[in-house]
Amino acid sequence: MAENVRPRVRVPATVAAGETITIKTLISHNMESGQRKDGDGNVIPRSIINRFTCDFNGQNVIDVTLEPAISRNPFFEFQATISESGTFQFTWYDDDGSVYEEQKEIAVE
Amino acid sequence: MKALALKGVAAVSALSFVAASALADENANLVVNGEIDMTIRAPAPDHMENMSEVMSGWLFRSSETQALQLDDFENPGMIWVDDAREVFASESGSGGESCASCHDSPEALAGVRAVYPKWDEEHGEVQSLEMQINECVTERMGGEPWKYTGGTMVNMTALLASVSRGMAVNVAIDGPAQSTWEMGRDLYYTRTGQLELSCANCHEDNYGNMIRADHLSQGQINGFPVYRLKNAKLNAVHSRFKGCVRDTRAQTYSPGSPEFIALELYVASRGNGLSVEGPSVRN
């Protein structure tokens, strides 16, 4: 199990209909590449977040494949245009099978 | 012997100070999360004879690096602050207590960072924040001391700094702390190493100038612990001191040594009036 994995998300709470918002996400994760060796010369097994997705009211916003060369604590910033109130669903998939999830509500006013 | 001497000469001539283009933005202000207004310039404290203004290291960084400190979401140092919050609330040691058992919340310790290192009456010595934390860990919680510049310790100091952000550094240098402070001042002005440079040669005589590819700051410590882009982790004050002493090609003191505690008190006092900024972001 990867340690101290903690997803964080920033989404505005409200938005005007049709407006484009900026979303920031970060997950604390070591992103062990599988290329490094420990002091005894043994390969440290790969352990990374390999996929990240964001959906809004069931519709996909982005779907990212992550590779071992990505630095620790992967940070994503992206935009979405919002026309209705609803829920963002964020999901990170770990090599070890763990799935980390986070949800954020946004209201159109 | 001859080769060694030659090497020394080459090294000295390679090390030159070059006037730098001005700061990224002369009038930049540091407001974190749109709400914590940092004092990044202040009149130099009375004890400083050679300078009129003290400045945060943030001012000397590029605008891209500066931007990372404006928002906790983008400040990578805050990730470890969150880790320390968990440690703060976790029971450990033979007493089965957590920091929160006695201190309630990290916010209850707001203002502490700003006045350390500080004289401790009971132990009859100046204590750094790390020493004070280890005093609680060992004497009050019955645990093993945390490694002085290890992850658990540096994270906890980042948490305690973060709840004091915006407050003015205000370490006491008189009374029982005075002799320690004087020892720190002597260390600051003593030339060391093969390059025979003192802290002051770089951080007082040459701040604002370039040394190789680095834009020299005043070497203030109000931003510690510091997230460095160079090693992608939080760095303790004494780790930075060690790096700077080593750069003069001298044997360095150890983190947590009486020499570094004294130096820390003295350097902190050169920043009296600047805001606590830790965890800050530097290159």
Side-chain angles (χ1 to χ4, degrees):
Chain A
M1 266 294 290
E3 283 169 19
N4 286 335
V5 180
R6 198 177 297 117
R8 290 147 236 252
V9 167
R10 183 177 290 170
V11 175
T14 59
V15 59
E19 199 184 314
T20 300
I21 58 160
T22 298
I23 297 163
K24 293 179 183 179
T25 74
L26 184 153
I27 187 156
S28 43
H29 195 286
N30 251 337
M31 297 294 280
E32 188 59 57
S33 69
Q35 309 277 336
R36 301 197 308 153
K37 291 182 177 161
D38 65 17
D40 299 330
N42 304 314
V43 171
I44 307 173
R46 178 183 129 155
S47 168
I48 68 168
I49 297 286
N50 56 51
R51 184 177 175 213
F52 166 66
T53 62
C54 168
D55 297 295
F56 182 65
N57 290 348
Q59 188 194 337
N60 185 250
V61 180
I62 59 166
D63 188 339
V64 186
T65 303
L66 286 82
E67 303 289 353
I70 292 178
S71 310
R72 72 156 62 133
N73 306 332
F75 173 92
F76 288 106
E77 180 172 335
F78 51 95
Q79 296 184 315
T81 305
I82 303 298
S83 52
E84 59 184 37
S85 300
T87 308
F88 278 103
Q89 168 76 34
F90 302 90
T91 315
W92 293 259
Y93 299 86
D94 196 310
D95 274 350
D96 68 10
S98 312
V99 175
Y100 307 99
E101 294 178 297
E102 189 76 34
Q103 290 191 340
K104 286 281 175 194
E105 305 288 328
I106 188 165
V108 165
E109 54 179 21
Chain B
M1 189 66 216
K2 197 173 168 206
L4 233 153
L6 276 175
K7 217 167 136 198
V9 170
V12 172
S13 61
L15 191 83
S16 62
F17 298 101
V18 180
S21 53
L23 303 172
D25 176 1
E26 293 282 339
N27 302 311
N29 280 320
L30 174 54
V31 181
V32 173
N33 299 332
E35 57 183 29
I36 313 174
D37 205 340
M38 301 282 187
T39 302
I40 51 177
R41 302 162 188 276
D46 291 341
H47 68 79
M48 287 172 72
E49 289 160 5
N50 310 327
M51 283 160 70
S52 56
E53 191 183 38
V54 291
M55 296 153 98
S56 160
W58 181 83
L59 276 162
F60 297 84
R61 308 288 40 107
S62 70
S63 48
E64 296 85 355
T65 308
Q66 287 182 336
L68 289 171
Q69 211 184 308
L70 299 180
D71 182 344
D72 282 354
F73 203 93
E74 311 215 348
N75 180 341
M78 294 308 287
I79 292 168
W80 288 285
V81 166
D82 286 349
D83 288 352
R85 264 186 200 279
E86 280 183 5
V87 171
F88 197 92
S90 317
E91 288 148 17
S92 68
S94 57
E97 287 184 300
S98 71
C99 314
S101 313
C102 298
H103 295 294
D104 198 28
S105 69
E107 282 71 19
L109 293 167
V112 172
R113 171 69 275 180
V115 296
Y116 273 75
K118 187 179 154 188
W119 176 257
D120 184 283
E121 202 52 60
E122 192 192 331
H123 295 83
E125 61 183 354
V126 169
Q127 284 194 336
S128 63
L129 192 56
E130 286 88 343
M131 291 163 78
Q132 170 66 61
I133 291 170
N134 261 342
E135 182 186 313
C136 286
V137 170
T138 58
E139 295 175 21
R140 302 200 170 92
M141 300 170 79
E144 288 297 312
W146 295 349
K147 186 168 178 281
Y148 199 87
T149 53
T152 311
M153 181 62 89
V154 82
N155 293 354
M156 187 57 72
T157 62
L159 171 61
L160 295 181
S162 74
V163 296
S164 290
R165 283 185 299 174
M167 298 179 183
V169 175
N170 184 20
V171 294
I173 64 173
D174 51 4
Q178 189 174 338
S179 59
T180 305
W181 179 81
E182 283 169 356
M183 172 178 165
R185 185 190 55 194
D186 291 346
L187 286 166
Y188 194 87
Y189 285 101
T190 303
R191 289 171 179 265
T192 61
Q194 286 181 315
L195 298 186
E196 293 187 52
L197 289 170
S198 71
C199 312
N201 290 141
C202 284
H203 293 297
E204 183 168 287
D205 304 339
N206 279 292
Y207 70 87
N209 289 338
M210 297 299 288
I211 180 165
R212 304 229 180 102
D214 257 321
H215 195 192
L216 269 173
S217 72
Q218 294 183 349
Q220 296 285 355
I221 58 173
N222 60 307
F224 277 81
V226 167
Y227 177 84
R228 293 190 66 187
L229 303 173
K230 170 181 164 170
N231 56 15
K233 61 172 192 167
L234 283 176
N235 296 261
V237 179
H238 291 195
S239 305
R240 180 48 122 160
F241 286 175
K242 209 172 131 185
C244 276
V245 174
R246 210 176 33 213
D247 285 350
T248 70
R249 302 192 183 169
Q251 290 282 354
T252 103
Y253 300 105
S254 315
S257 61
E259 290 83 2
F260 271 176
I261 303 289
L263 187 60
E264 181 182 348
L265 175 62
Y266 176 68
V267 179
S269 79
R270 293 172 68 93
N272 271 352
L274 294 174
S275 294
V276 174
E277 256 180 55
S280 67
V281 183
R282 307 282 189 259
N283 50 338

